[in-house]
Structure formats: structure tokens, C-alpha cells
Amino acid sequence: MTDGIPIRPATPDDLREVTGLLAAQLAEHDIPIERADLEFAADAILRVPERGFVLLAVEGGAAVGVACVSYSWTVERGGRVAWLDELYVAPSLREHGIGNALLARAIAVAGAAGCRTVELEVETSHARAEHLYRRHGFADLPRRRWTRTLP
């Protein structure tokens, strides 16, 4: 809990709230995604715990922050890895420790799930996020991430 705002695991019943927060996050960063694709992906994590987990920060019955984590298995890390896919707090509630608390809980849940590392990416222009991650012990890797969309 932070500033009286509880953080809890999301369930399939939270799909609408989770999707709403994730849509806001992606829109804020100009990342296009169809709402149906976003709902499909979020629902798949919520319904199959082996895929990852979602945490919600809730204030007054409304979801105001989300951490979405997916699992993968990598040779380089020697096993299960947690990928912090999204971390988002509603703009009006930023700077109240909610993102910090969501991140700390995500790290703890990933560790309890047997993950060897928690990995993430940060847009190069997002210095505030980099500061948060450094405070939690994350280090910048000397790599560039690449992607290829498949048909």
C-alpha cells in the first residue's frame, strides 16, 4: 500500500480496468494497437498464470495504476525471466509513490515465481522512468532492442 492505495493481483474480472490502463499507457507513448488485440493479450495473461501476472493499484474502487509482467525462458539468464511489459500510473496520481510500489511488488512477485531476472525497456526520452528503475537496482544494457512483426 502507498498513500493509502492498495496494490493487488488483477483477475479476469478486472479485464476492462486493466485494458483501459494499458490502452492509456500505449496511447501516451504513441504505440498503436487495436483494442481487441490488447484485450486478447491481457486476458491471456490474466487467465493463464504461467504466462505472467498483472498488478493493479486501486483508489476508491477504481484502478489507477497497472504493472503487467510476462514470463519467458532464456538461455542467457539460465531460466525463467520476468519481462516488465508495462508500468503505468494515471497522470493525476503520479509522484505519490504508486509506480514505485507497483515496481517493488512486481519484482517481489517475479522473484517468488522463480524468475532469475526482471527485464524491461525504457524509451530513451523517458528519464524519469530510468531514475525509478535505477533506484530499484536495474542497470542499462549496452544493447539495442529489435523487432519484426510477423504476418
Side-chain angles (χ1 to χ4, degrees):
M1 191 180 285
T2 183
D3 281 358
I5 298 176
I7 295 172
R8 64 170 177 79
T11 70
D13 292 338
D14 297 312
L15 180 61
R16 188 175 45 130
E17 291 83 2
V18 168
T19 303
L21 289 167
L22 293 175
Q25 164 77 345
L26 296 173
E28 188 173 306
H29 293 280
D30 297 318
I31 299 171
I33 185 168
E34 294 293 326
R35 184 70 175 227
D37 292 339
L38 185 57
E39 286 182 8
F40 174 79
D43 188 56
I45 292 173
L46 293 171
R47 292 189 185 280
V48 183
E50 293 78 18
R51 290 184 176 147
F53 61 91
V54 178
L55 300 172
L56 284 176
V58 181
E59 179 181 52
V64 298
V66 64
C68 185
V69 176
S70 299
Y71 296 136
S72 66
W73 191 272
T74 71
V75 172
E76 180 178 350
R77 301 293 184 222
R80 188 181 233 188
V81 172
W83 176 259
L84 180 62
D85 198 15
E86 302 297 338
L87 179 68
Y88 179 76
V89 175
S92 64
L93 291 170
R94 291 179 183 162
E95 303 299 327
H96 293 279
I98 298 169
N100 188 58
L102 278 166
L103 180 57
R105 180 76 62 85
I107 292 167
V109 171
C115 293
R116 307 291 302 255
T117 63
V118 177
E119 301 190 356
L120 55 89
E121 68 179 10
V122 179
E123 289 185 10
T124 55
S125 64
H126 207 149
R128 193 169 86 197
E130 286 184 357
H131 181 68
L132 170 66
Y133 297 130
R134 284 188 205 289
R135 283 194 333 257
H136 281 266
F138 286 84
D140 187 19
L141 294 174
R143 299 179 181 184
R144 291 175 46 194
R145 186 166 181 205
W146 292 45
T147 187
R148 178 174 183 238
T149 302
L150 299 175

